[in-house]
Amino acid sequence: MIIEVSNLEKKYFDSDPPTVALQDVSFSIAKGEFVSIMGPSGSGKSTLLHILSFLDRPTGGTYRFLGKGIDEMNDKELAEVRNSGMGFVFQAFNLLSRLSVYDNVEIPLLYSRLPAKERKSRIEEAVASVGLAEKLSIDAGKLSGGQKQRVAIARALVTNPPVIFADEPTGNLDSKSGAQVMEILDTLHDRGHTIILVTHETNTAEFAERIIRIKDGTLESDTPVAKVRRVKDGDLK
């Protein structure tokens, strides 16, 4: 298993009584799965994502990533695993607009010890995989929203991470661009990538094999999707 969560709990002690953000959440995610995490605003899904991606620690229960518990790692180790073992795609893209597509995708590799030739090959391969090979030298700020998100996916791929987290990846896109981004994630899954998608959009979530629903900080359901949804441009809402 890539991810194993057991009786996970997260409390915030800035109030009396403490605020319970997550309680008794348990699930596991195997290599190569495509899982969506859904829930209304305030449900705890963002807190769960922060814990899964090592941005926060639980106050109870256990979380194991690639067999190692989060409580067994110090902050430096967590940062190293987060950089090499996880890829991230955000709603806001988080690109540097004055840097080229090549330079943006290279960022996760800046502190790696990869030879220059292999680094270049990885960047070009990642950008080509999202259909933007001809945009390598273009400044990111000159791209459309859909193209920016595809660059963000390429950046997430470039370290060959075991898992890719996609946090509301279609939230800032029109329906056509959103559909294209989801088709890319779907294709990456078909190629063996593990993808964890956080979304409030049912049509987007249905690309996954499973949908985990969080409500009021607890796991409401964990159900398989009967058939991976494949849509035509403009069908995503």
Side-chain angles (χ1 to χ4, degrees), residues 8-162:
L8 200 69
E9 176 189 275
K10 179 64 181 180
K11 292 182 179 179
Y12 295 100
F13 296 93
D14 52 358
S15 62
D16 188 17
T19 301
V20 180
L22 292 172
Q23 184 173 344
D24 196 29
V25 174
S26 300
F27 61 86
S28 60
I29 297 175
K31 181 180 179 181
E33 279 197 275
F34 190 163
V35 178
S36 289
I37 298 175
M38 295 192 72
S41 178
S43 63
K45 67 180 186 297
S46 294
T47 300
L48 177 59
L49 175 64
H50 288 165
I51 292 173
L52 294 180
S53 59
F54 290 0
L55 289 176
D56 202 355
R57 291 178 181 265
T59 52
T62 60
Y63 169 32
R64 300 183 69 81
F65 183 80
L66 292 175
K68 191 169 184 179
I70 189 173
D71 56 346
E72 301 172 26
M73 293 181 269
N74 59 36
D75 289 345
K76 181 180 179 182
E77 290 172 319
L78 290 178
E80 289 174 350
V81 173
R82 191 173 190 271
N83 184 60
S84 61
M86 301 175 178
F88 297 91
V89 182
F90 302 98
Q91 179 176 344
F93 317 134
N94 291 359
L95 302 179
L96 298 177
S97 60
R98 295 185 179 181
L99 293 185
S100 68
V101 168
Y102 184 100
D103 290 339
N104 269 283
V105 175
E106 184 181 26
I107 288 173
L109 299 177
L110 289 178
Y111 297 102
S112 72
R113 298 179 180 178
L114 286 176
K117 184 177 180 180
E118 183 177 348
R119 180 185 298 186
K120 182 174 182 292
S121 176
R122 280 202 189 188
I123 295 167
E124 291 176 346
E125 181 179 343
V127 174
S129 73
V130 298
L132 292 176
E134 76 285 357
K135 302 288 186 182
L136 271 173
S137 62
I138 302 296
D139 287 351
K142 296 179 180 179
L143 301 177
S144 68
Q147 290 172 332
K148 289 177 181 177
Q149 195 60 291
R150 287 153 67 185
V151 173
I153 294 172
R155 181 184 57 194
L157 287 171
V158 76
T159 59
N160 294 327

Side-chain angles (χ1 to χ4, degrees), residues 119 175 236:
R119 180 185 298 186
S175 59
L236 198 86

